[in-house]
Amino acid sequence: MAVQSVVQTRGQRNPWEMAQAQFDAAADRLKLNDDLRAILREPKRELIVHFPVRMDNGAIRTFTGYRVQHNTNRGPAKGGIRYDAHVTLDEVKALAMWMTWKCAVVNIPFGGGKGGVICNPKELSAAELERMTRRYATEIAVIIGPHSDIPAPDVNTTPQVMAWIMDTYSMHQGYTVPGVVTGKPLAIGGSEGRMEATATGVLATVEMAAADMKLPLKGARVAIQGFGNAGAIAARLFHAKGCVIVAVSDTQGGIYDKNGLDPARVLRHKQEHGTVVGYGNAEKVSIEGVLEVPCDILIPAATENQLTSENAPKIQARLIAEAANGPTTPEADQILFKRGVRVIPDILANAGGVTVSYFEWVQDLQNYFWAPSEVGTKLNQVMTQAYSEVAKLAHDKRCDMRTAAYMLAIGRVAEATQLRGLYP
Ligand code: NAD
């Protein structure tokens, strides 16, 4: 519980206010007119659902869930579903807006959406999780679909959860609709490379930034906050590139070893004990401590609001790659920029996930599936192009990479909005 309250109180900013502040800063620089600002500053749709689920003991429990579509001018809404005891509508709105910009930065034809259910999945049995997922999918089925809004995994949701959503939606339609969600298991229309996609994209952007900064990846010390899909796979991929993984963490705390941790063994420890804490002879560090250990590259891969004005002055890394969405507050951004710490923003760094989700959706619609090498090559092309465009804009405008990524993304969404015109 102590850990939980630390996680909760450290957040200084409401994520939605943070997302709007980031938007405003980029819109100012772009000199976006007031009409476009008003349209892009708010989500298109916010759905709140309260739904009953029968628990294993026969009792009925009512859950609350959300699905938000921020913008669909460039294509269907796209974004994950989060299961978390503390998820709020404002958090989902922020995540949906970030998805709009993320899809635009990597120039894939999607808008932004996000969903969430207030629950602690660790307290639910597998059968309860399935019933809750299927009922939530039914409640949001009025707005999701392969041509309108395509969910995917996020914190605490898995390929199995995506399989249940796909099946539920398909039962309602009367035929199989694999393209309604991405991040599915391979056997039912998932894509090769989807599990590793987010971490692969993070690595691709770090490789480009490190080359630019003359920071050799071999031997670079890497600290990672969060040891789930994004964080644990990033640990494996960075380790394979010769980086020294000096620290990792989860909700129970962190571990540090200046000589390096073996990610595969840490993962086994987490699978056996439910946490990375207690692994080998590693030193135990606090949840905050992991962000401040001596390292060259820091990868926040957990949740929002982790790098704040409080700890930004203490960060020792030269390069931060945001695998998580929204880990850095605007105040921390300014401090880090002044200190010369390079931040690869979330909407660029972690866009590998949604990019391979796009590939999965294309494969599902065509019923024609690609080899792993094809997915890898295409992902690399997309990440390289996006990174180069953002880095060039940041250089030309003498701004940080987040501002540049926002300018690029908002410019694309604004152009689509203007071209489509106002209905009616
Ligand atoms: P996950 O549920 O697989 O893992 C989350 C991890 O973070 C867990 O290890 C959990 O213990 C840990 N964690 C949560 N709060 C923490 C805290 N305050 N301190 C330390 N550890 C904490 O989730 P994921 O899919 O890896 O997502 C992690 C982040 O990456 C989220 O911000 C998510 O939005 C973002 N992201 C994920 C994907 C994807 O494809 N999975 C894509 C883009 C962005």
Side-chain angles (χ1 to χ4, degrees), residues 75-131:
K78 185 85 192 78
I81 290 170
R82 176 169 292 196
Y83 286 173
D84 185 79
H86 304 288
V87 69
T88 64
L89 180 59
D90 274 357
E91 183 179 359
V92 177
K93 283 165 67 176
L95 289 160
M97 184 192 249
W98 288 327
M99 286 306 298
T100 302
W101 312 141
K102 191 183 301 181
C103 294
V105 167
V106 286
N107 216 356
I108 55 177
F110 283 143
K114 204 83 181 190
V117 178
I118 303 174
C119 67
N120 180 353
K122 287 181 188 152
E123 286 172 359
L124 301 175
S125 71
E128 287 169 342
L129 191 69
E130 177 173 356
R131 286 196 293 276

Side-chain angles (χ1 to χ4, degrees), residues 82 154-156 194 198 226-230 250-251 301-302 323-325 350:
R82 176 169 292 196
D154 192 70
V155 174
N156 286 327
R194 177 60 185 88
T198 302
F227 207 66
N229 176 278
D250 57 28
T251 47
N325 286 306
N350 72 35

